[in-house]
Structures are given as structure tokens and as C-alpha cells.
Amino acid sequence: MSNSRMTVREIAKLAGVSVATVSRVSNGTGQVSDEMRCRVLEAIEKHGYRPGHLGRALAAGRHGALGLVFPGLSGPYFTELIQGFESEAVPSRASVHILCTHLRSDSDDQVLEMGRRVDGVAVIGGTISDDALLRLAEMVPVVVVAGEGPGDIASVRAENPGSMAALTRHLLADHDLRDLVFVGNPEGSPDVSERWAGFRQAHHDLGIAPPNEPVAIGLQQADGVLAAERLLGGDNPRPGGVVCANDEAALGVLVGALGRGLRVPQDLVITGFDDVPAAAIVTPALTTVRQPVRELAAEAARLILRAVDQPGSTPEGSLVLPTELALRSSCGCPANPLTGGTRK
């Protein structure tokens, strides 16, 4: 009786041969003795085995899976990353294992354990220690996404400081704004650290003193609402504009500002970074920086798969993907209805 659930290991056991022998027979590759071939074919015919990508991967000493490591999993940014990574992994017949460390104390150990069960791993920058990254890279091909790794570990990230500097100069010079504040924690993310540096650089370029400290909060929408409470509550002087490290925080600040009866951008300018889908459809539409989130993860998957297909090799290079400004109503610019924002 046929059994479509039979695995390559079970067929090998029934035929009394190795997994590699079953693979060579089922795929018609390599040299196998007539006697072994007959045993394998008999087991395959009797049990209806059909080799899948996992069986072929196992025979080749692989797991047929790639790992993707996040600090957490919420919001549209991580959804876009997953879709980009899967767009390359799935056509290559590799499953995707996702691990969210939530920045726990055992994060390094969790990721190293994952490294024993996959063929390669993409890690979001700042998620685990440099020491763990180096140890992981000794086990499997590794690529850091949205950050840089230690040593020669490959990375893929978006251009952050230049685009944030351009956005900040636009607010300072084109809209003549002052008293800008930056919302985001540079200590929590390589991306945020670079964006904070770009924000400060734009002030220096124009001879304007930047704020000494950011409003150090998380990157979720709820964090943005809390930032709005801190900045707009009580007797605090209202800033001229709020430059957020990402769109989710900016959308939270927008909710908080509108809830207090403020007009955006007349009373307060708000900007973000990422250009998540909601940025173009809220009212007012959010001025932001458009980065190729899906392509970041897709490129990381391509680098890993290339290394997996060449045993002994490692992903190489430090790729920086371009970004562009999307100027919309939340800073006082007219939006282009065809692009969702005036590109600059």
C-alpha cells in the first residue's frame, strides 16, 4: 500500500541503504550498484515514495531551511521583511524558520541553536551579540540585515544617515522650522543610530544647534503615542516638528497630536522613515523616507542561498540600498496622488 508520507530516511531503512543512495537512485544521479538500485526501487514502488526538496537536502547534508531572526515580530516593517525573504527562499525550495528573540538574556543561545537546524541565517542588526554572530558564522552562512556585523560577515542595509539628513534639511531650510525633536532610541538599533546621526548632521550643516538628546523610545505605534504625551502634555513648549525614527512611531505621534486637537502640519510637523503602506493613506499623509524593505531581505536570502549552493563559501560584501524622500502633507508639502508623495 502506497504512503505518500514516507520519508527518505524510512525508505533508506527499508532498503538497507544510506540516505544518499536513495537520493542517487530517485534522482538518477551518481553511481549505484545494480543490487542496491533494485532494493531501493522495490521499496519506492511498494511504498510510493516521492522525493521532496527536504529529502534531497538531507541527502546533500542540508536541512532545506533558512533562518530569519528578529528582535520581535509586530507591525508592517517585519511583515515586509518576511515577504521579501520568502520571495527568494520559497522558489529555491527552502522553508523559512523565524525566531523572535524579544531581546531576552538567552537570545544568543537561541540563535546558535537555530544555526544547527538550518542552512543559513539572516539576522536583524542589533538582535544578538557580535560574539554570537561570529560563532554563528562558523556554523552556517550568515547575513546581517539593517545593520553591520563584525569582521567579514556580510550585511545588507538601507542608506540611513544621508536620507535622514536630507529630510531634516528639508524641514529646516525649505519649511524654516526650528526646535525639531528626534523620536527613537539610537541605543536600540543600528538603523536608528544612523538616522539620529543624520538628523544631527543636517543641523550642523546649516549652522543650527541640534538637540543634545533624542526622545529615546521604542519603535511601535504605542511608543509614538507615549512620545506625544511627553512632548505635548503639560506646560512643555511645543516643538516645531517631530522627526521619528520610523513610520510606526510617527503614526503614534500623529494619533496623539490629533487627539489633542492639534492640526498637522499647521501646528506640528511630523515625519517618519520606512514608507509603510499606511503612511500614504492616513490623513494627513505622512512625509517619510522610502526604503526598499522587501529588497533588503530578498538580497540577504540571495546571498545566503548562493553560499549554500557552494559548500565552504561564505556570503560576502556590504550592500547599501538606496532610499528616497516621500514628501507629503504632514510636513506641508503637496502629495502626488500617483506616487503617494513628492519624490526628492
Side-chain angles (χ1 to χ4, degrees), residues 50-135:
R50 294 182 178 179
H53 80 281
L54 292 178
R56 288 191 291 271
L58 184 61
R62 301 178 188 171
H63 300 275
L66 302 181
L68 187 54
V69 180
F70 295 124
L73 189 57
S74 64
Y77 176 80
F78 292 117
T79 300
E80 292 280 303
L81 284 177
I82 292 171
Q83 291 176 343
F85 198 77
E86 288 186 333
S87 71
E88 293 295 322
V90 173
S92 298
R93 305 181 71 82
S95 59
V96 177
H97 294 189
I98 295 173
L99 172 62
C100 297
T101 68
H102 301 291
L103 301 179
R104 293 188 292 257
S105 59
D106 62 344
S107 295
D108 289 359
D109 292 336
Q110 292 180 42
V111 177
L112 291 172
E113 177 59 32
M114 167 184 264
R116 299 182 180 95
R117 296 181 280 107
V118 297
D119 300 316
V121 182
V123 182
I124 302 302
T127 303
I128 60 174
S129 69
D130 284 354
D131 178 65
L133 272 172
L134 290 170
R135 291 163 61 193

Side-chain angles (χ1 to χ4, degrees):
M1 183 176 179
S2 66
N3 183 358
S4 60
R5 295 184 179 274
M6 292 294 289
T7 68
V8 65
R9 285 188 184 277
E10 292 168 328
I11 291 296
K13 184 176 180 180
L14 289 169
V17 299
S18 69
V19 169
T21 297
V22 175
S23 178
R24 285 194 288 269
V25 172
S26 61
N27 293 320
T29 59
Q31 295 184 349
V32 180
S33 70
D34 292 340
E35 187 266 337
M36 285 188 174
R37 187 181 304 279
C38 287
R39 283 156 50 188
V40 172
L41 290 174
E42 182 179 348
I44 288 175
E45 182 177 357
K46 181 177 181 179
H47 296 281
Y49 167 71
R50 294 182 178 179
H53 80 281
L54 292 178
R56 288 191 291 271
L58 184 61
R62 301 178 188 171
H63 300 275
L66 302 181
L68 187 54
V69 180
F70 295 124
L73 189 57
S74 64
Y77 176 80
F78 292 117
T79 300
E80 292 280 303
L81 284 177
I82 292 171
Q83 291 176 343
F85 198 77
E86 288 186 333
S87 71
E88 293 295 322
V90 173
S92 298
R93 305 181 71 82
S95 59
V96 177
H97 294 189
I98 295 173
L99 172 62
C100 297
T101 68
H102 301 291
L103 301 179
R104 293 188 292 257
S105 59
D106 62 344
S107 295
D108 289 359
D109 292 336
Q110 292 180 42
V111 177
L112 291 172
E113 177 59 32
M114 167 184 264
R116 299 182 180 95
R117 296 181 280 107
V118 297
D119 300 316
V121 182
V123 182
I124 302 302
T127 303
I128 60 174
S129 69
D130 284 354
D131 178 65
L133 272 172
L134 290 170
R135 291 163 61 193
L136 184 65
E138 293 176 352
M139 301 165 60
V140 293
V142 174
V143 174
V144 174
V145 180
E148 290 186 278
D152 296 328
I153 294 179
S155 64
V156 183
R157 65 190 194 279
E159 197 291 312
N160 285 298
S163 51
M164 180 55 87
L167 175 59
T168 306
R169 280 195 299 270
H170 170 71
L171 301 179
L172 294 170
D174 298 341
H175 292 285
D176 198 28
L177 291 171
R178 295 296 182 269
D179 300 321
L180 300 180
V181 296
F182 182 91
V183 169
N185 185 2
E187 301 297 324
S189 160
D191 274 351
V192 177
S193 177
E194 290 187 340
R195 293 167 195 172
W196 167 241
F199 173 83
R200 289 176 58 82
Q201 185 60 51
H203 282 78
H204 290 306
D205 291 344
L206 296 174
I208 301 170
N212 292 323
E213 301 291 339
V215 179
I217 64 162
L219 297 175
Q220 297 185 25
Q221 187 167 326
D223 298 312
V225 174
L226 291 176
E229 289 291 326
R230 187 186 307 179
L231 292 169
L232 306 175
D235 297 325
N236 297 327
R238 191 168 66 226
V242 181
V243 178
C244 297
N246 74 337
D247 286 348
E248 288 185 68
L251 293 171
V253 173
L254 179 63
V255 168
L258 296 178
R260 289 179 172 276
L262 296 179
R263 299 170 301 163
V264 178
Q266 294 91 337
D267 299 325
L268 181 70
V269 162
I270 301 171
T271 67
F273 200 110
D274 288 337
D275 199 21
V276 300
I281 61 175
V282 294
T283 303
L286 185 65
T287 287
T288 186
V289 175
R290 183 178 297 123
Q291 67 162 320
V293 180
R294 290 195 188 192
E295 185 59 22
L296 288 174
E299 187 59 51
R302 284 192 285 268
L303 288 172
I304 293 172
L305 289 167
R306 197 174 302 143
V308 170
D309 287 339
Q310 300 173 6
S313 67
T314 58
E316 296 181 351
S318 178
L319 301 179
V320 180
L321 303 187
T323 56
E324 62 179 348
L325 301 190
L327 304 179
R328 301 188 177 112
S329 305
S330 72
C331 76
C333 286
N336 183 335
L338 296 179
T339 65
T342 302
R343 297 185 179 184
K344 185 172 180 178

